[in-house]
Amino acid sequence: MAGRWNDNGFNAPTDGANSWVSGSSANQSPRKVLSVAQLSFSNHGISGTSTAPNINVPPVTCFEPVQKAEPDVDRVAKHIQSIWATWKQSKVLTDTLRSFFKFSPNPYASLLQLINVISEDRLKGKANTMSLSITEEFYKWIKCNESEYEHFLTDELKIRAFKMVLEKKISLNTMNTIVKIYKCNTHLDYMEELIRESIKQKKFKEACYASMCLNIQDRFTVEDFLLPLFFMNLVCVTEEFLVTSKFQQTALVKYLDDLLVENDDCLYYLANRLNVTQSNNNFSNKNQIKTNLTRIMKKYNISNELAPNITRQKKKGALVYLFRRYQSGATGIHAWREMALESIGDDETMMLEVVKMLENFGDIQECIYFAQLFAIDPSLLPPTIQQELLFCENASAGIDRPIPTEEYNTTEYHDLTLPDKQIHIIDCASKFNEFLDKINIELFDAHLDILGLDCEWKPEFTSDKSDLASIQLATIDSVYIFHLPQLQPAENYRLHWQEFSMNIFCNINILKLGFEWKGDASMIRSSLPIDNIQLHGPGFIDIKLLWKELETKWNFQLPFQNPNEDTPYNSLSDLVKLCFGRPLNKTEQFSNWEKIPLRSNQIKYAALDAYCLLEIYNLFKTMCKTCNIPFNEICQKISNNDHPDMTKPKPKHKKHKYKVPKTNMKTYSPHTHVSSVKHFKLLVPYTLEKLAERLRKCGIDTSIVERSKINDCHYIINLIKTKNLHFIAFGYAFSKVAEELHAGQCYCVQNHNLDDQVQEVLNFFKIVVKKEDLNSRCQICNSDSYEIVSSLVMKKIYDAVKLIQNQKAVRYRPPSIDEDFEDNDYYEDEDDSEDEGTSAPINAKCLTNNSFNSSKPDDPHSKLISGYTDGNSMIDVKPLSADMFNDQNRVFYICNSCGSVRWDNLQWESALGSSLGMKF
C-alpha cells in the first residue's frame, strides 16, 4: 500500500515499515531500524521515535512536509551509512533504499544526490562499495518501475550523471551501473566531448573507464589516456581497458613497437608532449618498452607481424645465442644453419643483419656462406667481406664448399647401441598401423613392461609457441619416433592416437620412464588430439626425481661420480656421464625438429634420448640390488607422488601451426528403443578386458576377442555376424572393423575412465540395467549359471578342495635328491596335474566316502561338496580363508562353468548400482 502525505504526517506502507534485524554478532542486541518511509524530513533538526523501550536505534530524520519535496539527502545518507556499518548488504538496506526511491519526487535526481554524498566517504582499499550497492539496488528497482518514472529521466539529468562519474573517484562497476541507469549511451558524441575534457584535466583513469562503459574505446588514440596511464604506473587500469578492445590492443602494440627504433630518450620527450609526470620507473627506457610490449603480445596473442621491430630484435638475439653455441661446439653446423634460416625467413633486413653479425664474430666462412646464399648486393656488405668475395670464383662457390669439420672437438660421447634398422620413423598412416598391430601383439608380453619416453620440439625464440614435433618411444630392442609434422592433419590420426594412449599412457602395467617429464607431458597434452590423457601417477617415473631420491636419502653413488663433488641435477647428459662415463652429444638439441624429413643425426639424437632412460633405469636397479636398497618401493613412491599441479591451467591463446581439432566425438546413436541386458551380446578386444568384466557385472553377455585374433578382421567380423554380436573397441582396431558393419552394430569408446566407458556403452545401445541384473554373470567366464550355498556348505566345500589339493601334492611331490630326475612316470603325473577340471575328478570316489561328505545322496549340494561343479570344474577356493565361514549369514555364489567363488554381493551391487545411478 503506497503512503501519502497529509497535514497529520506520513502514513507509512505496511511492507518493510518495521524491520527487526539481528546484530552482526551473537553478543549484539537486536535493533529495530526504521526505513526511510518512516523518516520525516525537517529543516529544524532530527527527531527519532521508537516503538520498543531500551532499543538502540540509529539517529533518524523526520519527514514533515505537506507535499512531496526533495528530502535532506545528507541526513538520509547518514542513516544508510549507519545501516551499512552494521549489516553491509542486507534486506534492511534494500527496504530502506527502495522506500527512499519510491517516495522521492524525482528518484533519478535523488540517486545522484545520494551518490554524490556517499562517494565522498571512501574507505581505503574498498572504494565505493556502498555506492555500488546503492546503484545496483536502484537499477533493480527502476527496471520494474521504468514506465512510471521514465518522464523524469531528462537529457539534463543524463549529462549531470555522466559528469558526476567523470568527476568522482568511483569504481568501474559503479560507473558502469550509473551509465546504464541514466542511459548515457543515447548521446555518445556529447559524452565523448566530456571525456576529452576530462583528459585535458588529466583525469585519465576516469576517462578510460568512461570510454569502456560507453563502449567507445575505438574513438580514442593510444596517446589519449593509455600511454599517460603507463607513465602514471596505472598498468592495472590499462589491462582492464585493453581486454575490452582488440583494436586498442593492436594499436598499442604497433605504437610501442615503433618506439623501439626511436632515440633512447624518446619516452622523456613523449611524456613532455603529453604533459604527464613520469612516476613509473618501469616505463622509462627502451628495455622496459620491450618488456611491456612482450607481455602485451603474449597476453593478447598478438601476431609477430604487427610488431616487426621487436620480432627482429628477438630473432637477432636468438641468432647470437645459437651462433655462440655453434662456436663452442654445443650445436652442430647443420642445426645452426637450419635455425638461422628458420629465424631469418624472407626478411631482407635480417639477412644483412646476420651477415654483419657473423663478420663481427670473425667467422668469415659462415659470413660468405650466408651472403652468397641470400644473394646480397656486395656493395651493402662490410669491406672485409667484399674483399673475401673477390676470391670466390662464382656466387655459388661459397655455398658448395665443404662444411667445416669439428675436429677440434675431441669429446667422446655416449653412443646408441641399437643398430639403425631398429630405429623406426612413424611418419604415415601405414607405419602407424603397423606399429599399433605390433603393440597389440608384443607390447603386453611380460618382457615388454617398460618404455622410455621423450619429446622434441623446435626452440622458441619469439612469442610464437612451438608445437610438439616428435615423440620417441624406446623398448629394449627398438625405438619408434613419431614425427608429428608428417602426421597431419591431426584429425585423420585421432583414432590412432586414441589407441596409442589407451595401450601405453593409460596402461599401468607398463612403466613409462621420462626425464623432467612434466614439460614433455604438457606438450603432449596440448598437441595430441586426445582429451584427458593420463600422463602422471602410477605407471610413470621421472628418472630425475628417482635419481635425486636415491642420492639424497640412500647415499647412492653412481659409477663415475666423485663423492667429494656436489652432484648436479641439471640435465640428462650429466646423469649419463655419471652413469657411463661419457655425456650425451647435444649438438642437435637446438635444431629444427619440424623439418621434413629429419636428418640422420637428428634421428640418432632423438632415439638415444629415449633409449638411455632404459639403460639408466636398469643400472639403478642393478646397483640398488647390490646395495640392498628397496628399489621397487622407491619407484612406487616416486610414481605415486608424481602428480601435476592441481590448479586449473590457464587457456593458451596460441596460434598452432598444426591445428589440433577437438576430440570429444559425440557419437550419434541409431538405437531408439530401450532394451534390457538380455537383448544384447557384446564383443570387445582383450585390450578392453576390464570393461568386459564391468559389463558382465551389469549382467550383459560380453565375449572377449583373444590376443592372437585381435588383428584378424575377417575372424572378428564373421564372429559378429554369425552370433549377432555388437562390437565395442577403440582407435585403429575399431576403424578396421567398423567399415564392414552397419551403423549401430559397433561403438568406439571415447573415455579412459572405466565408469565413463560403461555409461557410454549403456547410453549408446540404450541398455537399462536393473538391480536384479547386477552380478548375474561371472566376471571370469561370462557364464550366468550359479549355485548359491550357505556358509556351512561352503565350509564343507572348502575342506574338500583342500583335501584334494593335499592328496595331489603328495602324489605329485617333486623327486628328492636321491630320486631319478629322468623318471618318466614323474613327468607324466606333472602333465596331468595341469588339467583344469575338464575331465571327471580322479578322487571323487574317495571323497564320497570321507568324513567331509556327510550329505545325503539326494542332497542338491552333494556334487559341490565333492569339490567340483556340475561342469566338472574344480571349485576355486584360493580367495577364501577359514575364518570367513564364521559368519553364518554369509552367502556364497559358485560359478558352475569355471568354479570361481564370490560372496557379499550386496556391497558390490551397491557400489556398482551407485555408479549407474541406482538407489539402494
Side-chain angles (χ1 to χ4, degrees):
M1 178 178 67
R4 69 178 186 278
W5 294 95
N6 54 36
D7 295 338
N8 298 323
F10 174 70
N11 295 328
T14 57
D15 56 330
N18 296 310
S19 301
W20 288 88
V21 186
S22 300
S24 57
S25 65
N27 297 327
Q28 187 173 0
S29 302
R31 295 183 179 183
K32 184 178 181 183
V33 179
L34 301 180
S35 67
V36 174
Q38 294 174 291
L39 304 177
S40 54
F41 287 76
S42 174
N43 295 326
H44 305 290
I46 303 173
S47 62
T49 60
S50 175
T51 58
N54 301 326
I55 299 296
N56 184 14
V57 180
V60 297
T61 308
C62 293
F63 292 119
E64 293 182 354
V66 176
Q67 58 183 0
K68 273 193 174 184
E70 200 67 37
D72 189 342
V73 179
D74 288 337
R75 293 183 174 86
V76 176
K78 290 181 180 180
H79 179 69
I80 293 174
Q81 287 169 341
S82 67
I83 296 175
W84 180 267
T86 305
W87 295 293
K88 304 297 182 187
Q89 182 67 45
S90 61
K91 187 177 186 300
V92 177
L93 181 65
T94 300
D95 292 342
T96 304
L97 288 172
R98 294 197 175 191
S99 297
F100 170 65
F101 301 146
K102 184 183 298 184
F103 299 108
S104 295
N106 184 342
Y108 286 101
S110 298
L111 175 64
L112 285 182
Q113 295 182 43
L114 184 60
I115 293 299
N116 189 53
V117 175
I118 293 294
S119 63
E120 297 296 335
D121 183 27
R122 298 175 68 248
L123 298 177
K124 186 176 182 181
K126 297 184 179 179
N128 295 326
T129 304
M130 196 188 319
S131 298
L132 178 60
S133 298
I134 292 172
T135 53
E136 287 180 342
E137 288 294 342
F138 184 89
Y139 183 72
K140 296 175 185 176
W141 174 79
I142 200 64
K143 290 294 288 184
C144 302
N145 305 277
E146 194 168 8
S147 59
E148 182 180 351
Y149 296 98
E150 61 183 353
H151 62 281
F152 289 111
L153 185 57
T154 62
D155 291 343
E156 187 270 337
L157 266 180
K158 294 179 182 179
I159 295 172
R160 279 178 55 193
F162 198 72
K163 284 183 176 179
M164 188 189 72
V165 300
L166 289 172
E167 294 171 357
K168 298 292 182 180
K169 294 182 178 180
I170 56 180
S171 66
L172 176 60
N173 291 334
T174 306
M175 186 183 294
N176 194 43
T177 308
I178 293 175
V179 168
K180 289 192 297 183
I181 291 172
Y182 291 91
K183 300 181 180 178
C184 298
N185 57 356
T186 56
H187 299 81
L188 291 180
D189 292 337
Y190 189 80
M191 301 304 176
E192 180 186 345
E193 291 300 322
L194 294 178
I195 294 176
R196 295 193 181 279
E197 190 64 29
S198 295
I199 293 174
K200 293 178 182 179
Q201 299 173 10
K202 298 186 179 181
K203 296 181 179 180
F204 301 111
K205 179 179 178 181
E206 288 75 13
C208 178
Y209 280 168
S211 68
M212 294 166 60
C213 294
L214 294 176
N215 196 24
I216 57 173
Q217 302 95 315
D218 298 351
R219 295 192 181 194
F220 299 90
T221 66
V222 171
E223 293 185 351
D224 284 334
F225 44 73
L226 265 181
L227 287 176
L229 289 171
F230 272 104
F231 283 120
M232 297 168 61
N233 202 22
L234 294 175
V235 179
C236 59
V237 180
T238 65
E239 298 290 352
E240 291 179 293
F241 176 81
L242 289 173
V243 77
T244 64
S245 174
K246 186 69 176 177
F247 171 80
Q248 290 288 356
Q249 294 170 12
T250 56
L252 180 61
V253 166
K254 291 179 180 178
Y255 191 98
L256 294 179
D257 187 65
D258 290 339
L259 286 179
L260 294 177
V261 295
E262 299 290 338
N263 297 329
D264 292 339
D265 54 357
C266 61
L267 288 178
Y268 172 77
Y269 291 109
L270 178 61
N272 288 339
R273 182 164 60 83
L274 298 177
N275 194 20
V276 180
T277 303
Q278 283 185 280
S279 60
N280 185 1
N281 293 327
N282 294 323
F283 196 70
S284 58
N285 57 58
K286 293 176 70 172
N287 286 333
Q288 289 154 2
I289 295 177
K290 283 185 190 178
T291 302
N292 284 279
L293 181 55
T294 302
R295 177 180 55 83
I296 293 171
M297 292 179 66
K298 183 177 181 181
K299 182 170 185 177
Y300 301 111
N301 193 29
I302 305 297
S303 172
N304 286 327
E305 297 175 357
L306 296 177
N309 295 320
I310 192 173
T311 302
R312 191 175 295 116
Q313 291 184 18
K314 287 181 178 179
K315 287 182 176 180
K316 186 177 179 180
L319 288 172
V320 171
Y321 171 75
L322 285 172
F323 183 75
R324 285 175 175 168
R325 285 183 57 90
Y326 161 65
Q327 278 192 321
S328 66
T331 296
I333 188 169
H334 291 292
W336 144 248
R337 289 180 174 179
E338 279 178 1
M339 293 306 301
L341 293 176
E342 179 73 15
S343 299
I344 295 169
D346 299 329
D347 192 335
E348 295 182 359
T349 304
M350 279 295 298
M351 295 177 184
L352 186 58
E353 287 283 345
V354 168
V355 173
K356 291 180 179 179
M357 178 197 76
L358 293 172
E359 193 267 340
N360 291 334
F361 277 106
D363 195 327
I364 303 301
Q365 186 168 352
E366 283 299 288
C367 187
I368 294 175
Y369 170 83
F370 282 102
Q372 295 179 342
L373 180 66
F374 298 140
I376 299 176
D377 185 354
S379 62
L380 301 176
L381 298 174
T384 54
I385 304 303
Q386 295 182 27
Q387 187 177 4
E388 288 290 336
L389 285 174
L390 294 176
F391 295 98
C392 298
E393 296 180 356
N394 51 60
S396 62
I399 301 177
D400 295 335
R401 69 178 60 187
I403 294 176
T405 60
E406 301 177 5
E407 296 178 356
Y408 61 89
N409 191 350
T410 59
T411 304
E412 294 185 359
Y413 295 106
H414 183 67
D415 293 327
L416 181 66
T417 56
L418 288 178
D420 292 346
K421 64 180 181 180
Q422 296 301 106
I423 303 175
H424 309 281
I425 307 298
I426 311 299
D427 54 7
C428 61
S430 60
K431 292 182 180 179
F432 211 147
N433 293 338
E434 291 176 5
F435 168 80
L436 293 176
D437 290 341
K438 184 176 181 180
I439 287 296
N440 283 328
I441 297 174
E442 297 182 2
L443 196 58
F444 291 91
D445 291 342
H447 66 282
L448 292 177
D449 57 352
I450 182 170
L451 301 171
L453 283 174
D454 190 51
C455 300
E456 302 295 342
W457 56 89
K458 187 174 67 175
E460 301 172 0
F461 295 125
T462 62
S463 57
D464 287 342
K465 295 293 182 181
S466 296
D467 293 312
L468 183 66
S470 74
I471 300 176
Q472 300 93 259
L473 184 150
T475 67
I476 198 63
D477 55 7
S478 299
V479 176
Y480 303 89
I481 300 177
F482 297 82
H483 197 217
L484 271 64
Q486 294 179 268
L487 299 176
Q488 298 295 327
E491 175 63 19
N492 294 349
Y493 295 88
R494 182 178 58 82
L495 292 177
H496 294 76
W497 285 119
Q498 185 185 42
E499 185 167 355
F500 179 96
S501 176
M502 286 191 172
N503 283 342
I504 297 175
F505 293 145
C506 297
N507 191 341
I508 62 175
N509 296 320
I510 301 176
L511 183 62
K512 280 78 66 176
L513 306 175
F515 190 89
E516 293 184 332
W517 175 245
K518 193 174 182 179
D520 291 345
S522 177
M523 290 296 293
I524 292 174
R525 193 175 287 109
S526 62
S527 300
L528 291 189
I530 307 173
D531 292 331
N532 302 319
I533 306 179
Q534 184 72 18
L535 295 173
H536 66 276
F540 289 88
I541 287 184
D542 191 325
I543 290 292
K544 185 174 184 178
L545 299 179
L546 178 60
W547 175 25
K548 187 174 181 180
E549 179 79 9
L550 291 171
E551 170 70 20
T552 56
K553 296 185 178 180
W554 294 91
N555 195 25
F556 190 73
Q557 296 292 320
L558 293 170
F560 293 88
Q561 180 177 349
N562 187 344
N564 298 324
E565 296 180 359
D566 293 335
T567 303
Y569 299 100
N570 297 327
S571 66
L572 180 60
S573 182
D574 292 335
L575 178 56
V576 170
K577 184 176 181 179
L578 294 175
C579 290
F580 309 111
R582 294 181 295 180
L584 295 175
N585 187 345
K586 307 298 286 187
T587 56
E588 295 295 338
Q589 182 180 23
F590 285 85
S591 60
N592 187 3
W593 291 99
E594 294 179 0
K595 185 179 178 181
I596 299 175
L598 294 173
R599 291 179 284 103
S600 59
N601 286 347
Q602 285 180 302
I603 293 173
K604 290 181 179 179
Y605 170 88
L608 182 55
D609 261 15
Y611 190 78
C612 71
L613 298 175
L614 296 175
E615 296 177 312
I616 294 169
Y617 178 85
N618 290 330
L619 177 66
F620 283 1
K621 187 175 183 180
T622 302
M623 292 182 63
C624 286
K625 184 177 181 180
T626 304
C627 301
N628 294 323
I629 297 175
F631 182 73
N632 293 332
E633 289 79 356
I634 296 173
C635 288
Q636 186 176 3
K637 174 186 174 182
I638 295 295
S639 180
N640 292 335
N641 293 337
D642 184 20
H643 293 293
D645 294 334
M646 299 305 293
T647 55
K648 186 177 180 180
K650 295 181 179 179
K652 294 184 178 179
H653 305 287
K654 66 179 183 179
K655 186 176 179 181
H656 286 276
K657 185 175 180 181
Y658 310 106
K659 185 177 180 181
V660 178
K662 294 183 178 179
T663 60
N664 280 337
M665 182 181 69
K666 296 183 178 180
T667 307
Y668 169 74
S669 174
H671 301 277
T672 56
H673 300 290
V674 177
S675 304
S676 68
V677 297
K678 308 296 183 184
H679 298 156
F680 273 91
K681 294 182 179 180
L682 304 179
L683 180 69
V684 301
Y686 78 96
T687 50
L688 289 176
E689 185 176 3
K690 295 297 181 182
L691 174 60
E693 294 178 3
R694 186 65 61 89
L695 292 172
R696 289 169 178 174
K697 276 188 175 183
C698 296
I700 304 175
D701 188 342
T702 308
S703 303
I704 300 176
V705 181
E706 59 189 23
R707 183 177 304 178
S708 60
K709 300 290 185 180
I710 189 64
N711 294 314
D712 191 344
C713 296
H714 298 291
Y715 168 80
I716 295 175
I717 294 170
N718 183 62
L719 188 64
I720 293 172
K721 293 180 178 180
T722 303
K723 297 188 177 182
N724 192 24
L725 305 176
H726 291 80
F727 188 56
I728 302 172
F730 61 87
Y732 178 60
F734 166 81
S735 63
K736 291 190 295 185
V737 176
E739 295 174 354
E740 305 294 332
L741 302 176
H742 61 76
Q745 199 169 4
C746 55
Y747 177 71
C748 180
V749 174
Q750 301 295 306
N751 289 285
H752 295 173
N753 181 271
L754 191 56
D755 289 332
D756 294 337
Q757 290 177 352
V758 173
Q759 202 62 56
E760 281 182 57
V761 174
L762 298 181
N763 292 340
F764 181 81
F765 293 110
K766 299 293 189 299
I767 302 175
V768 175
V769 180
K770 300 179 181 179
K771 290 184 180 180
E772 55 267 24
D773 297 325
L774 300 180
N775 285 315
S776 59
R777 283 191 173 273
C778 178
Q779 299 176 39
I780 299 175
C781 69
N782 197 36
S783 171
D784 59 354
S785 176
Y786 279 94
E787 293 290 343
I788 305 174
V789 299
S790 65
S791 181
L792 180 61
V793 175
M794 194 67 229
K795 176 65 168 62
K796 296 179 180 180
I797 297 173
Y798 178 83
D799 294 337
V801 173
K802 288 296 183 181
L803 179 61
I804 295 174
Q805 293 174 347
N806 291 337
Q807 289 179 345
K808 284 187 175 183
V810 172
R811 181 177 177 184
Y812 308 130
R813 63 181 178 84
S816 63
I817 298 177
D818 298 329
E819 293 175 336
D820 184 5
F821 283 96
E822 301 297 329
D823 185 1
N824 292 331
D825 293 338
Y826 165 71
Y827 285 103
E828 288 177 2
D829 291 341
E830 184 179 35
D831 292 337
D832 292 341
S833 67
E834 294 179 358
D835 177 59
E836 297 182 354
T838 54
S839 60
I842 56 176
N843 55 354
K845 182 177 180 180
C846 173
L847 286 174
T848 55
N849 297 323
N850 65 33
S851 59
F852 295 110
N853 189 14
S854 58
S855 59
K856 299 178 180 179
D858 57 348
D859 189 339
H861 301 308
S862 58
K863 177 72 173 182
L864 296 175
I865 295 177
S866 69
Y868 290 84
T869 65
D870 290 337
N872 287 330
S873 295
M874 178 177 286
I875 300 174
D876 183 13
V877 298
K878 291 180 181 178
L880 306 178
S881 59
D883 58 349
M884 296 178 64
F885 310 116
N886 296 333
D887 184 358
Q888 299 298 323
N889 297 323
R890 177 169 283 162
V891 177
F892 294 85
Y893 298 77
I894 304 174
C895 177
N896 281 323
S897 178
C898 67
S900 61
V901 181
R902 55 186 175 85
W903 61 95
D904 292 341
N905 273 356
L906 185 59
Q907 178 183 356
W908 294 102
E909 289 176 3
S910 177
L912 178 59
S914 298
S915 67
L916 299 176
M918 298 180 181
K919 294 183 179 180
F920 280 76

